[in-house]
Amino acid sequence: MSLKAGIVGLPNVGKSTLFNAITKQNILAANYPFATIEPNVGVVMVPDKRLDLLNQMYKPTRCIPTSYEFTDIAGLVKGASQGEGLGNQFLSHIRETDAIVEVVRCFDHGQIIHVEGEIDPIRDIETVNLELAIADLESINTRLERVSKKARTTKDKNDLLELTTLEKAKKALEESIPLRLVPFTKEELDSLKSFQFLTLKPIIYLANIAENELGKEKNKYVKQVEEYAQKENAKVVPLCCKVEADLCELEETEKQELLSMYGLEESGLNNLIQATYDLLGLATYFTVGKDEVRAWTFKKGMNAKQCAGIIHTDFEKGFIKAEVMSYTDLVEAGSELKVKEKGKSRLEGKDYLMQDGDICLFRFNV
């Protein structure tokens, strides 16, 4: 399954620098608003040390990690949803994403201008979140005009559910409550699914800090962002976009040396990807063989049959059994043969709930 995240934030907070680091693409990063004119889409391979070990063990023709798609849009400004700056055309680019990464400037720098003149991360967050909420309200009001009369005339069950759910969503947004914090029922969420509301998407706040603050106690700006995020049970990932951009240009040995210099074990990007996986309830299973070793992303709670469908719809339609062993068992045993000898390779049916680190061979017949 494809994982997509939209990068949002005010101008000059580090969005495009972050995007450069993620995709290793040379997207224009300039010291003025709207340097990003068209939405940039890039795909990053998700780092996974387990996949590296499987690659060494099986020595396949190709090794394919799972991927993560990022969409970087132009910096939002106050009034973007009404057409200010480059307008709400850019908000449409993140409607199809699974999550939102909101980049917040948490560093002082006299030579890098701020669109509002001074550093205030909470003001910045509220500016961006307000624009997302206004965009959602506009969508709701437009739809309510159509469905209201229809629902009251036909008394159709689905139309009535959509009507009451949209009214509930509208009330929440008018009270400055993002839709992700509204206690919708499963039926209500299903009725809202097609609208792809921005404030319904899970969010991660990325606190962009200065290079000289890496590995040190969190500065006052980061603490402010964490306090804000805690109120909506959101995650905060501090990192330095500039250093991340430098890291992506280095070989692995040099990268580890630079991380050690800052007292870090992992890059900020790795932490961001892991935080997003946790936020969305995602996990990874593997398929292995001489031709290919590959990682696949799935949502926790999916069964073996559904996970087979991630590879190909025919695998799901004709699913028979899944031959499963855990990554941990394979590493401890040292080989696939020894896993089988120890009786730790098993056949699972369609209702088996897949676990992170499962290594699978799907048996199917179409």
Side-chain angles (χ1 to χ4, degrees), residues 53 57 326-335 338-339 342 344:
L53 193 147
M57 186 176 289
S326 76
Y327 170 83
T328 303
D329 287 342
L330 177 61
V331 172
E332 289 178 353
S335 72
K338 290 181 179 179
V339 171
K342 291 184 176 183
K344 291 190 174 182

Side-chain angles (χ1 to χ4, degrees), residues 313-325:
T313 53
D314 284 350
F315 282 33
E316 183 172 5
K317 289 177 183 177
F319 181 90
I320 300 173
K321 291 284 183 181
E323 187 173 330
V324 182
M325 61 180 169

Side-chain angles (χ1 to χ4, degrees), residues 39 98 128 140 180 186 217 241 257 260 262 283 303 343:
D98 301 298
V128 171
I140 289 173
R180 60 181 167 273
K186 183 182 181 302
E217 183 181 351
C241 293
E257 288 176 355
S260 297
Y262 288 113
N303 61 36

Side-chain angles (χ1 to χ4, degrees), residues 106-108 208-217 219 222:
C106 292
F107 65 91
D108 293 303
N208 186 16
I209 62 176
E211 184 176 353
N212 61 8
E213 293 177 330
L214 279 172
K216 297 181 180 179
E217 183 181 351
N219 67 34
V222 176

